[in-house]
Structures are given as C-alpha cells and as structure tokens.
Amino acid sequence: MMLKAAVDGLQVKPDGIYVDGTLGRGGHSAAILAKLTTGRLYAFDLDETALVESRPRLAAVSDRFTLFHANFKDMRDVMGQADVTAVDGILLDLGVSSPQCADPARGFSYRAEARLDMRMDQSQPLDAYAIVNQWPAERLAAIFREYGEEPFAGPIARHIVSRRQQGPIVTTADLVEVIRQSLPDRVLSRKGHPAKQVFQALRIAVNDEMGNLGQALEQGLTLLAPSGRMAVISFQSLEDGMVKATFRKASQPPYIDRHIPLRQDEIPQPDFRLITAKPIMADSHEQEANHRSHSARLRIIERRDV
Ligand SMILES: C[S@@+](CC[C@H](N)C(=O)[O-])C[C@H]1O[C@@H](n2cnc3c(N)ncnc32)[C@H](O)[C@@H]1O
C-alpha cells in the first residue's frame, strides 16, 4: 500500500523522466518503469549489491532505465552528466533495505554477531568500527543523543571509551555488551532492545543520512520540472521532521514587506504546493503484515505549473 501510495502519488506520465534515489531491490523502480512508454527511469543506490540484484528485475519490465552507483545527495550533478536538467518525479524510500538488514555480515543488526560495519556503500572508508573505536566520548555522546535520542548517551559514550583501553570493540555483540553495562537495571528490564537507539545513531552517522537527505531535498526540488513531484518515505522522526520542514518552507509564499502595496495578482506565489498536508501512513493491514511499515511516513510535494 505504501509502495502504491508513493508511486500513485508521483502521477507517473508515460513519457516522463523519473528518479528513484533509493533503488534497493527495485520494487518502486519496477512499478514506475511499468508505467513508462517513452519515458525513462534513473535509479541510484550506494549499495553495489542492490544494483546487481535489481538490474534483471527491471530489465524484465523494460529497458528504459539507467542505474547509478551514486549517492542521491549528488542527484543534480549525476543527472546533469546524463544531460538531464529537469525531471517529472523523484522518489526517496529512505533507510536500509530489508536485505541489507537481514545480512548479518553487514553489521546493521544488534541481534546478529558481526564486525561493526553498517556501511550502505561498502567502498566507503568510514564504518561503525572506526566511529566506535576512534571518536572521542563527546562526539559519540552527541550522535547517540542527536540521532538516537538515547537518554544515557553520556554514560554509554564514556563506557565505550574506557572499554577501548582494554582493546578494540570489534563486533556488534561486543558493543551490545558495553551498552548493557552502561545502563541501569530499571532500563534493562524495559521492553525493547537496549542497544536499539545507539545502533540507529551509529547507522545514521556512518552513512551521514541526515546530511545526505538535506542535500537531496534541496537538489531534488531544484530538479523538478513544472508539475513534477517528489515523494519521500521516511522511517524515523528526525528524517520525517527534515522532510516536513523543507516541504513546508518550499510551499510558503516568499516574504514580502507588508508596506509594499501589491495588487492581488502581483502577490508572489510559492514555487511548490504540498500534496500531503499530513503524512500518509501505512494502514493497519499493512502494519500487521510488515513490521517496518509501522513508522513509515510518506510526504509529497509538487512544483507549481506557472
Ligand atoms: C528502503 S531501501 C529502498 C527499497 C526500494 N524502494 C525497493 O522497493 O526495494 C533504501 C535503499 O536506499 C539506499 N540508499 C540509502 N541512502 C542512500 C543514498 N544517500 N544514496 C543512494 N542510495 C541510498 C540503500 O542502500 C537501500 O538500498
């Protein structure tokens, strides 16, 4: 339903140009591609495996697509190199994919033992191991607080730094153990995994997810052609907050000094209009079938046709 809502929300035109910034296993891309006749789809992913595995799935639908092993934050430049300066729709389905999460070797999950990694792009030098073993306590505490909303950010960060003196913290299980030792019993006895927030924070920091999203929203809005739409599905409140604020700002009229007398038709109009005043969420049926959809929020914006 979320997939359908996002693809329907883009109002795909058969001859349009579309960007899927988060190819993953190609579910959304295949649905967009199926609606194209003379149009073209450009899809991005940081994860080489996603590109390799999605290519045949898309090829079974149509050959009207191009894949980029690139960061969606660079979409304007990458599309420019492909001689595309305006597009009819952009989709971002944020976060890690189910196959990334399910692969224990990638180190995204606190439930499976693996070397601390969490990179979406496996060619990137920075990984969770480097952050956990090299960053100073203040910097660790700041990301646990900001990206994980972890109330015990300070104690966990200090505990990590003191534990490092005995040797590196190598695996997800080592880190879970350090986190457990940093938390009071009353917190450990609560429902939910005690490492959840720290793992979320590390993943966001390793992949610079907030920085990427900020840049992608800015670039995406400038890439949209008149009547072009951008649809963003986010899974955590920090991302959704950034999407909400950016879309709201873009759809507000430009500031004008109220002392300047203007006729009604001279009042400048905003360049964009919100399609979703409130985010679209998965219905209860989908939430039951797919746990990840619980926190999914879809927001859509459109460039006005002037
Ligand atoms: C939730 S999955 C997308 C699932 C996809 N919509 C589907 O239908 O299969 C997110 C994907 O986006 C990729 N990704 C995350 N951040 C990215 C970025 N900044 N640039 C490019 N790809 C990114 C991840 O590697 C992952 O494969």
Side-chain angles (χ1 to χ4, degrees):
M1 173 266 169
M2 208 44 144
L3 183 150
K4 186 170 173 347
V7 175
D8 286 355
L10 285 176
Q11 294 192 331
V12 176
K13 295 185 274 190
D15 59 348
I17 306 285
Y18 292 86
V19 171
D20 181 353
T22 50
L23 173 69
R25 287 304 149 92
H28 287 85
S29 275
I32 294 171
L33 205 51
K35 292 178 182 280
L36 301 180
T37 52
T38 55
R40 191 156 193 95
L41 170 77
Y42 296 86
F44 291 62
D45 209 294
L46 284 173
D47 188 340
E48 192 83 60
T49 322
L51 302 172
V52 170
E53 304 221 343
S54 295
R55 190 178 290 282
R57 178 172 186 183
L58 298 186
V61 179
S62 150
D63 62 356
R64 304 196 66 82
F65 68 91
T66 305
L67 302 186
F68 299 116
H69 182 217
N71 194 314
F72 59 51
K73 81 177 165 76
D74 300 318
M75 68 170 91
R76 193 169 44 205
D77 290 346
V78 175
M79 295 301 289
Q81 282 159 20
D83 285 330
V84 180
T85 51
V87 303
D88 299 294
I90 299 170
L91 175 77
L92 296 177
D93 177 18
L94 300 169
V96 281
S97 64
S98 321
Q100 284 169 333
C101 241
D103 180 354
R106 305 289 298 262
F108 284 110
S109 172
Y110 38 77
R111 296 187 198 282
E113 177 146 25
R115 186 180 184 280
L116 285 167
D117 188 329
M118 300 195 193
R119 290 168 303 167
M120 291 185 193
D121 181 353
Q122 289 167 301
S123 63
Q124 168 187 303
L126 181 72
D127 62 6
Y129 179 91
I131 293 180
V132 167
N133 287 290
Q134 289 162 16
W135 284 18
E138 307 72 56
R139 204 165 165 205
L140 288 174
I143 60 164
F144 297 161
R145 211 173 290 124
E146 191 182 344
Y147 298 154
E149 296 172 274
E150 170 56 65
F152 293 89
I156 295 172
R158 286 193 294 278
H159 212 89
I160 287 175
V161 172
S162 98
R163 163 65 180 72
R164 279 180 345 207
Q165 285 160 3
Q166 299 158 28
I169 299 167
V170 181
T171 66
T172 48
D174 293 344
L175 180 60
V176 168
E177 189 49 33
V178 181
I179 295 167
R180 280 189 193 282
Q181 288 164 358
S182 322
L183 297 173
D185 288 344
R186 65 182 160 81
V187 175
L188 289 174
S189 59
R190 278 190 211 145
K191 218 171 131 236
H193 198 286
K196 187 172 176 204
Q197 280 142 292
V198 168
F199 271 63
Q200 170 179 305
L202 281 171
R203 199 199 82 198
I204 293 174
V206 167
N207 299 292
D208 190 19
E209 291 178 38
M210 299 311 292
N212 290 341
L213 177 60
Q215 204 169 314
L217 293 174
E218 187 267 315
Q219 296 212 352
L221 290 179
T222 63
L223 257 184
L224 284 183
S227 302
R229 288 186 171 197
M230 172 146 67
V232 184
I233 305 172
S234 54
F235 292 88
Q236 40 102 344
S237 55
L238 290 172
E239 283 172 346
D240 183 56
M242 185 181 271
V243 178
K244 179 180 172 183
T246 307
F247 282 8
R248 187 164 281 178
K249 188 159 174 246
S251 56
Q252 268 163 8
Y255 171 77
I256 40 166
D257 187 333
R258 63 191 171 82
H259 296 105
I260 301 174
L262 288 176
R263 287 197 318 268
Q264 193 62 29
D265 62 339
E266 289 174 333
I267 297 175
Q269 292 297 309
D271 291 334
F272 295 91
R273 78 180 175 102
L274 283 180
I275 301 300
T276 50
K278 290 223 160 66
I280 298 173
M281 320 232 325
D283 59 25
S284 53
H285 187 69
E286 187 174 16
Q287 291 194 10
E288 245 170 60
N290 173 3
H291 184 70
R292 185 172 175 265
S293 69
H294 270 266
S295 47
R297 284 179 165 65
L298 166 66
R299 294 184 188 269
I300 306 173
I301 195 167
E302 179 186 86
R303 182 184 284 280
R304 283 172 184 271
D305 191 2
V306 279

